[in-house]
Amino acid sequence: MTTGFPFLMLLRAILVMAGLLVMSGAGFAQDRWALVLGIATYDSGRIASLKNTLNDSRTIAAALNDKGFKVYYLENAARGEIDSAIELIEMEQRDAEIGLLYFAGHAIQLDGENFILPSDLDPARSTPLREQAISINALVTRINAMGTKSLVVILDACRNSPLPGESAAGTGLALVDAPENTIIAYSTAPGEVAFDGTGANSPYTAALASALDGAEADIRDVLRLVRARVRLATGGAQMPWYIDNTRTAIPISPRSGTATEALVDLVKGREIDLSTTAWLTVAESADPRDFKLFLDLFPQDQLAAAAERQLVLIEAEPAPDFPLMEIEVDGPGREVPDGLMAEVTACDLLATGVGDVMAVSDPVPHDLVNTRAAMRACVEAVKNDPENPRLVGILSRVLRLSNRFDEALHYAELAAELGNPTAYLGVASFYRQGIGVTPDYARAFQAARKGALLGSPQAQLVTGVYFREGWGVEQSYPEAQRWMQLAMQNGHSHAFVAYGDFYRKGFGVPVDEAKALDYYRQAAVLGSSDAKNLIGIAYLRGKGVKQDRETGIQWLVQSSDEGNPFAAFQLGRAFQEGLGVKKDLKTALAYYRLSAQRNYLGAYIRIGDMLRQGAGGKPDLAEAYANYIIAREAAILRDTIDSAEELAEAQARIAEVTADMTPDQTAAGEKTAADWIAQYGLLDFNLVSE
């Protein structure tokens, strides 16, 4: 039993809660509702099954249930079942404040119109495809006729047509204007194809579930955050999109105010421990299964009485009709005593970090962690194996991604004490960046060094960076090189790049471009797109190698195709200046825009320069000014070594261009920038980096 939690306070809180209405999804029957459709398998053998759509739909159903939505849930539904669900909603939800339609499954476009494919669709039938599929346009029109004040349609379905022959046209989904009071969100840009995902969820749904799992936010802010995360995690390959034709705020908030606040207050002043973390994870849940799990894990905890009371109150409402996610951790390999598969948990599968040296499963990029599911899985895993440094470290990662920084630091330090070298890196980043604590470079350095001594290649590289920059330790280039050499011995590709930089930039050694290029080549063999970009630049400029612009372009294209923002920028320069390619300002601008889309601020500045100079036409000072503003505002948010320099450059450009602008041009540029920021957000530039 933990200390610091007076029993009388608990008793009083329980008595208060007894008089509160616990608002489950049903409690908002005339306020907000959601139809969640997930289709993974089709009756016709000619339509391929999808791996993640059921987990996707179950994930979103659970998240919306916690947000006070009355959830109507269907999976692998035939057309008739979907029609019946719509009829039920029409009877029960007229004039609701918010309606939401989420679909995960196959969807197609026919002549510019989007259709979702029910499970009983059969392309071999003589019935026209249009009559078997469900028109999204018609569905939206039907829902709007119910008097729903604000409608949100989310389509995680932009995949290649699954139908054989010429029965479907186009790739992905077509862009459709949203009717009045409606937002239509696509998991990727119109006409493009989204990824089904290799983990438990698609990239889009994983990001959406995590964005929903928080405090009250307007749905637009949620969708912007999702776009930023998916865009970053896929290297710009998948770009979520939404069309907004609403005029009022659409707040997405936890299911109730007073009741959940009282539940959260139960642990105020209590020391951080696993039951406290578990309680804060489920306190706002409307799913009785969450409180049952809490009681199973912590039957003797002081919070058990509160959990039992909450369970009684929630079960007085209709139970959720959607199943939980299924995380595939079973299999023949788990039957082998002491085998590796016996170590794998749902926590590992949902949230293993990139570069985690203790990993027993594939990593999940931080932007694609389904924090809602991962939190529950990791609490359970740590409860079952409390001294496991790997699992404690993963729990810390999920808490950090959920912005629960005090708890994240607590478990990072605990995992480090248990011997997890990757966890020391987490501790170091907390103290260097001042996340929830006062910045302390010396403490950050000591944590990174301990992780390095325990064998983490990433920690060895980071320790070298601390010595190179003099962060919390006496600056020493030779010492920095020693730590980076150790990381290179352990096969860390970024360490080869950082080591090559010593010779390219002359950090404590004579400049030797050829030697730098040797290290970049080794990093390229290990798959580093940064190294490929630097090799391309070397060939373009003849630095350390005989100048060969054609070869340089080939390296840059390869790096850019792998999602590297700097390579796209360099290709923009090449086409702007005619280096190894025919000068083409239109193509140059396209590459700069691609680099900007991948979050390189310098690209926005270069776009502004080109527009200011009239690339491909007459000068457009207002548009140039808008790009400089975006670069400035994004640089203010960033926490990188280069952000101060980028900010100064953007501010200098703004001072230059505004001196030549009229008041009308200035106002137009500021409006363009404001509209862009409102549509896309600057969150892209401030996401956690691993």
Side-chain angles (χ1 to χ4, degrees), residues 571-579 581-592 610 615-616:
L571 285 168
R573 290 188 61 180
F575 278 98
Q576 184 181 6
E577 300 171 16
L579 301 176
V581 291
K582 184 178 179 180
K583 187 174 182 178
D584 185 335
L585 296 183
K586 184 177 180 180
T587 301
L589 193 56
Y591 270 115
Y592 285 139
M610 291 192 72

Side-chain angles (χ1 to χ4, degrees), residues 197-529:
T198 57
N201 292 115
S202 74
Y204 185 83
T205 290
L208 178 60
S210 297
L212 287 170
D213 192 24
E216 178 176 322
D218 190 280
I219 188 63
R220 299 165 187 81
D221 294 326
V222 171
L223 295 174
R224 277 194 288 265
L225 179 57
V226 171
R227 172 163 47 201
R229 288 176 169 170
V230 172
R231 181 173 112 178
L232 190 62
T234 62
Q238 182 172 335
M239 175 67 136
W241 199 269
Y242 70 90
I243 307 299
D244 181 6
N245 195 12
T246 61
R247 295 185 178 87
T248 60
I250 306 177
I252 305 296
S253 58
R255 61 188 170 85
S256 65
T258 309
T260 52
E261 287 174 7
L263 293 173
V264 171
D265 284 346
L266 291 179
V267 295
K268 279 189 175 179
R270 177 167 165 162
E271 295 176 1
I272 297 173
D273 65 6
L274 194 60
S275 65
T276 302
T277 296
W279 184 258
L280 290 173
T281 298
V282 304
E284 294 181 344
S285 175
D287 194 329
R289 292 169 292 197
D290 280 332
F291 291 96
K292 288 177 181 177
L293 176 62
F294 183 91
L295 288 168
D296 288 342
L297 296 178
F298 308 101
Q300 303 302 318
D301 193 89
Q302 288 177 320
L303 291 164
E308 290 173 348
R309 178 60 186 167
Q310 191 69 359
L311 188 57
V312 170
L313 292 170
I314 291 178
E315 288 185 331
E317 302 287 348
D321 65 352
F322 51 84
L324 297 173
M325 283 181 62
E326 293 182 358
I327 311 300
E328 298 178 2
V329 294
D330 295 324
R334 293 179 68 81
E335 299 173 3
V336 180
D338 297 323
L340 182 60
M341 273 302 297
E343 295 292 320
V344 179
T345 69
C347 176
D348 292 292
L349 296 175
L350 287 167
T352 290
V354 176
D356 187 342
V357 296
M358 302 191 80
V360 295
S361 65
D362 292 335
V364 182
H366 62 273
D367 300 309
L368 302 184
V369 173
N370 176 346
T371 54
R372 188 186 190 282
M375 190 72 70
R376 288 156 172 77
C378 291
V379 165
E380 184 173 8
V382 172
K383 175 62 177 177
N384 294 333
D385 194 358
E387 300 297 310
N388 189 314
R390 182 188 79 254
L391 296 175
V392 175
I394 297 174
L395 175 59
S396 171
R397 181 186 191 229
V398 179
L399 285 162
R400 177 171 175 174
L401 295 176
S402 302
N403 296 325
R404 292 165 61 174
F405 299 131
D406 289 347
E407 295 168 278
L409 178 57
H410 169 82
Y411 290 106
E413 291 177 332
L414 177 58
E417 291 172 6
L418 291 170
N420 184 333
T422 304
Y424 278 109
L425 269 179
V427 174
S429 66
F430 272 98
Y431 283 104
R432 187 186 74 80
Q433 298 180 52
I435 301 174
V437 295
T438 302
D440 187 335
Y441 276 36
R443 193 165 181 175
F445 164 73
Q446 288 298 331
R449 182 177 181 276
K450 289 178 180 177
L453 290 172
L454 285 175
S456 165
Q458 179 67 19
Q460 291 159 356
L461 170 59
V462 169
T463 301
V465 171
Y466 275 69
F467 274 109
R468 186 188 71 194
E469 302 298 324
W471 290 343
V473 66
E474 181 181 347
Q475 195 269 349
S476 171
Y477 288 136
E479 191 64 28
Q481 287 181 297
R482 292 187 187 100
W483 287 101
M484 291 180 183
Q485 286 171 343
L486 192 58
M488 287 191 293
Q489 290 172 15
N490 287 314
H492 198 290
S493 64
H494 295 309
F496 283 94
V497 175
Y499 202 86
D501 286 345
F502 277 88
Y503 291 97
R504 181 168 63 90
K505 298 179 179 181
F507 290 151
V509 295
V511 171
D512 188 334
E513 299 274 8
K515 198 166 188 177
L517 191 59
D518 287 341
Y519 287 106
Y520 296 153
R521 290 186 187 280
Q522 294 178 70
V525 170
L526 293 172
S528 170
S529 68

Side-chain angles (χ1 to χ4, degrees), residues 491-572:
H492 198 290
S493 64
H494 295 309
F496 283 94
V497 175
Y499 202 86
D501 286 345
F502 277 88
Y503 291 97
R504 181 168 63 90
K505 298 179 179 181
F507 290 151
V509 295
V511 171
D512 188 334
E513 299 274 8
K515 198 166 188 177
L517 191 59
D518 287 341
Y519 287 106
Y520 296 153
R521 290 186 187 280
Q522 294 178 70
V525 170
L526 293 172
S528 170
S529 68
D530 285 334
K532 294 172 184 178
N533 169 57
L534 291 167
I535 294 170
I537 294 172
Y539 273 104
L540 276 181
R541 299 178 181 175
K543 298 290 187 178
V545 67
K546 183 179 179 180
Q547 189 177 54
D548 183 343
R549 288 177 173 172
E550 183 177 348
T551 298
I553 293 295
Q554 291 172 355
W555 278 102
L556 291 176
V557 168
Q558 184 178 351
S559 178
S560 180
D561 287 348
E562 294 173 6
N564 192 282
F566 309 110
F569 180 84
Q570 293 298 332
L571 285 168

Side-chain angles (χ1 to χ4, degrees), residues 15-290:
L15 291 174
V16 169
M17 284 191 299
L20 296 173
L21 171 64
V22 178
M23 293 180 167
S24 71
F28 277 90
Q30 294 303 319
D31 181 22
R32 57 189 65 187
W33 60 268
L35 173 60
V36 179
L37 305 174
I39 301 180
T41 59
Y42 290 80
D43 297 344
S44 170
R46 303 177 72 183
I47 302 179
S49 297
L50 293 167
K51 176 183 177 183
N52 291 321
T53 49
L54 296 189
N55 271 345
D56 289 342
S57 58
R58 294 170 183 180
T59 291
I60 298 305
L64 293 174
N65 187 56
D66 285 348
K67 294 298 182 182
F69 283 78
K70 164 64 177 175
V71 176
Y72 299 84
Y73 179 80
L74 293 173
E75 60 182 47
N76 292 328
R79 174 163 186 152
E81 294 173 290
I82 297 173
D83 287 338
S84 296
I86 297 294
E87 290 172 1
L88 180 60
I89 293 170
E90 287 175 326
M91 287 190 296
E92 296 184 347
Q93 301 294 343
R94 287 201 169 273
D95 302 319
E97 290 293 326
I98 302 172
L100 189 148
L101 168 63
Y102 170 89
F103 175 74
H106 280 305
I108 60 171
Q109 58 164 296
L110 295 171
D111 300 323
E113 185 175 358
N114 298 324
F115 292 82
I116 60 178
L117 308 189
S119 65
D120 58 346
L121 183 140
D122 187 351
R125 286 187 203 153
S126 58
T127 306
L129 192 62
R130 281 178 171 274
E131 296 179 17
Q132 295 187 61
I134 298 175
S135 165
I136 295 172
N137 294 19
L139 195 56
V140 169
T141 299
R142 186 173 173 182
I143 293 172
N144 278 324
M146 295 165 41
T148 305
K149 294 181 176 61
S150 297
L151 175 63
V152 180
V153 180
I154 300 176
L155 304 171
D156 190 4
C158 298
R159 299 175 175 89
N160 279 324
S161 170
L163 304 177
E166 300 299 325
S167 57
T171 298
L173 295 182
L175 178 65
V176 176
D177 288 336
E180 189 174 1
N181 301 320
T182 301
I183 294 175
I184 300 181
Y186 301 85
S187 60
T188 195
E192 298 297 328
V193 177
F195 301 108
D196 192 35
T198 57
N201 292 115
S202 74
Y204 185 83
T205 290
L208 178 60
S210 297
L212 287 170
D213 192 24
E216 178 176 322
D218 190 280
I219 188 63
R220 299 165 187 81
D221 294 326
V222 171
L223 295 174
R224 277 194 288 265
L225 179 57
V226 171
R227 172 163 47 201
R229 288 176 169 170
V230 172
R231 181 173 112 178
L232 190 62
T234 62
Q238 182 172 335
M239 175 67 136
W241 199 269
Y242 70 90
I243 307 299
D244 181 6
N245 195 12
T246 61
R247 295 185 178 87
T248 60
I250 306 177
I252 305 296
S253 58
R255 61 188 170 85
S256 65
T258 309
T260 52
E261 287 174 7
L263 293 173
V264 171
D265 284 346
L266 291 179
V267 295
K268 279 189 175 179
R270 177 167 165 162
E271 295 176 1
I272 297 173
D273 65 6
L274 194 60
S275 65
T276 302
T277 296
W279 184 258
L280 290 173
T281 298
V282 304
E284 294 181 344
S285 175
D287 194 329
R289 292 169 292 197
D290 280 332

